Amino acid sequence: MTQLSQPSRLAGKTAIITGAARGVGRACARLFAEQGADLVLVDIAGDLPGVPYPMGTASQLEHTADVCRELGSTVLATKADLRDDAAVRAAVDSAIGRFGRIDVVVNNAGIAAPSGQPVHRTSPEDWQLMLDVNLSGAWRVINAVGDVMTAQRSGSIVNISSTAGLVGYRHFAGYVAAKHGLVGLTKAAALDLAPLGVRVNALCPGSIRDAESVEGVMLSQIARALDVPVADHETTFVAAQPMNALVEPEDVAAAALWLASDESVRVTGSVTTVDGGFTAR
Ligand SMILES: NC(=O)c1ccc[n+]([C@@H]2O[C@H](COP(=O)([O-])OP(=O)(O)OC[C@H]3O[C@@H](n4cnc5c(N)ncnc54)[C@H](O)[C@@H]3O)[C@@H](O)[C@H]2O)c1
């Protein structure tokens, strides 16, 4: 009997995913590989001075790449710090050198700390670092891929913002400002690029479980910054989400896949929550 199989939703496409060493980036990479994309996986893969918890490592980045290769994807894994214009441009240039085109970008890399201080106690260095990674990092990638995608007259950029891009959180002014900024950048870039065939959308996840399969750490780091007891932090964050569940990294990846694919061909400038109802109140 002939098996009916779903066509690969990203067949023939090349996707850049930032922050791909672990967490949501790894979940996106895995799902995109399953759906036929070739991948450029970008991560700082090393220390980020000023952030009080470890970033993804080179071996985690290599692990993501290996998992995706096993799923049939051709993968280029590259180390780049999104604070560094030249490094971002070099990563985009190597993607073009290897694949000849860039169809999708997932601007996912981000940091949750330094945070945990009221706005008037935030140091200029901490403020700058938060904006440089979480807002300007995404801008640098869009700036670097813009000419490539507009020359192709096609492309889909997915920015991973947060519920912190829609509402405030105490003691997280830098993160909240950067994620609101990312929503604004999404809308402005969508308008600039719409006539040129390139789409730009944002996802706003709620509290994402630190899933073992992707070696997630961010939610427990947010708990630490908020003085929420880390041992049972999941209970605290679940209670805030009306669906009584944390968001899974795969939930965010599934939404990113739809925005990346041609199924959303007429969607641009959108801001979509994946937050179990958190911002519905
Ligand atoms: N975890 C959550 O609860 C949650 C909720 C809402 C939004 N988000 C957002 O989702 C995205 C992914 O979060 P996550 O939970 O997977 O976090 P994570 O810390 O597990 O992964 C982030 C990855 O980004 C990389 N990275 C950080 N700074 C970088 C830089 N300057 N250059 C290159 N790479 C860099 C890290 O090395 C790491 O591998 C982030 O933008 C985050 O703000 C997370």
Side-chain angles (χ1 to χ4, degrees):
M1 200 162 81
T2 321
Q3 286 236 309
L4 288 176
S5 63
Q6 221 189 337
S8 298
R9 294 160 70 190
L10 296 179
K13 293 194 191 286
T14 299
I16 296 181
I17 301 174
T18 69
R22 69 179 183 209
V24 172
R26 181 182 290 172
C28 288
R30 218 164 43 188
L31 182 60
F32 285 20
E34 268 170 30
Q35 292 299 326
D38 290 327
L39 296 171
V40 180
L41 305 179
V42 181
D43 204 286
I44 191 169
D47 285 348
L48 183 41
V51 180
Y53 64 94
M55 296 289 92
T57 63
S59 63
Q60 286 178 316
L61 181 60
E62 210 33 61
H63 178 70
T64 307
D66 285 344
V67 167
C68 296
R69 287 185 189 112
E70 278 162 27
L71 291 164
S73 179
T74 302
V75 181
L76 177 67
T78 179
K79 243 180 109 147
D81 180 350
L82 297 184
R83 296 173 305 164
D84 179 344
D85 286 301
V88 169
R89 289 215 165 256
V92 169
D93 287 349
S94 57
I96 291 295
R98 179 72 184 76
F99 297 106
R101 57 184 296 114
I102 299 167
D103 301 288
V104 175
V105 168
V106 182
N107 278 315
N108 162 77
I111 53 175
S115 43
Q117 296 290 333
V119 64
H120 62 294
R121 295 281 159 73
T122 305
S123 73
E125 295 76 21
D126 288 357
W127 176 261
Q128 193 53 49
L129 176 58
M130 193 55 79
L131 288 167
D132 208 6
V133 177
N134 286 4
L135 175 56
S136 304
W139 173 80
R140 282 186 192 96
V141 179
I142 294 171
N143 189 253
V145 299
D147 284 338
V148 177
M149 285 186 165
T150 55
Q152 292 170 180
R153 308 286 298 182
S154 75
S156 172
I157 297 170
V158 182
N159 295 325
I160 307 296
S161 178
S162 166
T163 52
L166 300 170
V167 299
Y169 287 88
R170 293 180 67 236
H171 296 179
F172 266 81
Y175 187 81
V176 166
K179 292 297 190 180
H180 272 70
L182 190 51
V183 167
L185 172 63
T186 299
K187 293 177 182 176
L191 293 179
D192 285 348
L193 300 177
L196 303 168
V198 178
R199 303 184 294 113
V200 190
N201 294 287
L203 291 175
C204 294
S207 299
I208 302 168
R209 194 167 68 82
D210 283 350
E212 250 176 64
S213 67
V214 295
E215 302 182 86
V217 300
M218 192 180 273
L219 196 60
S220 46
Q221 293 303 329
I222 293 171
R224 210 159 261 132
L226 291 174
D227 283 332
V228 168
V230 174
D232 61 355
H233 73 278
E234 290 198 358
T235 318
T236 307
F237 289 112
V238 164
Q241 301 200 144
M243 289 186 85
N244 265 324
L246 295 175
V247 174
E248 296 292 330
E250 289 75 17
D251 300 333
V252 183
L257 169 62
W258 180 71
L259 289 171
S261 77
D262 294 339
E263 293 159 29
S264 59
V265 71
R266 230 67 64 197
V267 179
T268 197
S270 75
V271 180
T272 302
T273 56
V274 186
D275 69 352
F278 178 81
T279 48
R281 284 183 288 211

